[in-house]
Amino acid sequence: MKLIVGNLKMNLLSTAERDRYFESFKKELKDSKVGNVQIVLCVPSIHLESFTKKIKSKSVEIGSQNIFWEEKGSYTGEISAPMVASLGAQYSIIGHSERRRYFGETSAQANMKIKVALKNKLTPIYCVGETKEEKENGDAAQVIIQQISEAFAGISSTQASKIVIAYEPVWSVGSDIVPSSDEILEIKILLKKIFVELYGLPVAEKISVLYGGSVKSELINQVCIEPGMDGVLVGRESLVPRDFFKIVKIINKN
Ligand code: PEP
């Protein structure tokens, strides 16, 4: 079963816009065959409750785009894993490159967030990936090894097998530049090797690895099918349900 994650980012600015999104999303869902895919919509936290209430389909789960590492207390402006879970969400993105870039989030913080997500039965979608400069300097592999080893510190094999990884090269997120399928495959192999070393083959096989970064329907072969990814994380193209479902349909057929 392939996983298709939509990251709506900081969009749907009014209840009217959100409701239009629901209508259009529900229409596309009804008209599309999605039997072989699991869709996860990671929505702005202010819309979590309305999404979990309005979109009722076993093909679609709802997630947050971030959580805090503590469960409750004096952390003004943060949202916690129990809050997200209590609204019926099942997933949370953790360590997205936009959080690392604008809020200075680190892999050590992602480690705490992954732990609190799992404790609250949320599936973490942990984002890793190198910047343009790191790639040009030949440091991509090292960066990813570090992002994984810091974020998985103290995580057991049972916990690890529940985590989803999104390989999102920072230079591709929001840029319309995508890696070749060989480049993606290389990183997928690297990730599998890291997980085999950390947890052994059976666990490594259970950890889903997605590709994310400027995903569009025309690119699905290159970024998902050819490198044998377990799915995709889609940013901007998830904002128009019609475009998002073009991706869903192609992956569902393959
Ligand atoms: C993302 O938000 O993780 C992402 C990959 O964005 P985009 O598809 O817009 O590049």
Side-chain angles (χ1 to χ4, degrees):
M1 173 85 75
K2 298 261 195 257
L3 191 59
I4 305 177
V5 181
N7 175 15
L8 298 183
K9 312 199 187 202
M10 196 174 69
N11 293 296
L12 308 186
L13 302 189
S14 64
T15 50
E17 207 185 322
R18 180 200 65 196
D19 290 348
R20 278 197 298 276
Y21 188 90
F22 285 142
E23 289 322 308
S24 161
F25 188 92
K26 280 198 224 162
K27 181 182 175 305
E28 292 296 331
L29 182 63
K30 198 165 146 245
D31 296 348
S32 315
K33 271 208 178 134
V34 297
N36 297 325
V37 300
Q38 176 65 57
I39 296 169
V40 179
L41 274 185
C42 293
V43 306
S45 17
I46 202 144
H47 295 318
L48 274 170
E49 185 169 12
S50 50
F51 268 84
T52 54
K53 282 195 173 143
K54 291 217 181 159
I55 299 185
K56 296 258 175 235
S57 158
K58 62 174 176 12
S59 303
V60 187
E61 299 283 10
I62 304 300
S64 67
Q65 299 169 10
N66 179 37
I67 46 167
F68 192 53
W69 57 76
E70 294 290 349
E71 291 188 310
K72 69 176 279 191
S74 302
Y75 305 103
T76 304
E78 292 298 319
I79 56 157
S80 75
M83 290 173 182
V84 171
S86 80
L87 297 179
Q90 310 271 5
Y91 288 78
S92 180
I93 296 177
I94 290 175
H96 190 278
S97 60
E98 287 158 7
R99 303 254 3 135
R100 293 181 193 258
R101 177 168 167 200
Y102 299 117
F103 304 97
E105 287 194 9
T106 63
S107 302
Q109 290 171 346
N111 174 252
M112 297 190 279
K113 293 182 179 200
I114 288 173
K115 285 175 180 161
V116 79
L118 291 168
K119 183 173 170 214
N120 287 279
K121 306 212 162 22
L122 294 173
T123 301
I125 303 166
Y126 177 53
C127 302
V128 297
E130 79 287 358
T131 62
K132 186 165 181 273
E133 200 189 354
E134 287 160 348
K135 184 177 171 63
E136 285 168 357
N137 292 341
D139 292 336
Q142 203 40 52
V143 166
I144 288 166
I145 291 169
Q146 191 162 345
Q147 287 171 337
I148 296 290
S149 63
E150 287 180 13
F152 279 70
I155 302 274
S156 70
S157 331
T158 319
Q159 289 175 316
S161 63
K162 295 179 184 144
I163 300 170
V164 174
I165 302 295
Y167 169 52
E168 298 214 307
V170 180
W171 48 273
S172 175
V173 176
S175 70
D176 291 329
I177 306 167
V178 285
S180 68
S181 61
D182 281 351
E183 285 174 310
I184 298 172
L185 180 60
E186 225 175 87
I187 300 293
K188 181 189 149 182
I189 293 169
L190 169 72
L191 285 163
K192 290 288 171 188
K193 271 193 188 150
I194 302 171
F195 290 126
V196 169
E197 268 174 38
L198 286 174
Y199 300 107
L201 186 61
V203 173
E205 280 174 342
K206 282 193 197 139
I207 301 176
S208 297
V209 180
L210 316 181
Y211 169 77
S214 298
V215 174
K216 289 187 174 49
S217 54
E218 315 85 84
L219 296 170
I220 291 306
N221 252 329
Q222 177 177 331
V223 302
C224 182
I225 314 294
E226 280 172 22
M229 305 306 274
D230 298 305
V232 286
L233 199 166
V234 184
R236 290 157 296 158
E237 289 283 294
S238 64
L239 279 175
V240 177
R242 207 158 189 263
D243 296 334
F244 184 64
F245 274 89
K246 278 188 200 158
I247 295 172
V248 170
K249 283 179 213 164
I250 296 172
I251 294 186
N252 187 57
K253 264 200 247 146
N254 279 276

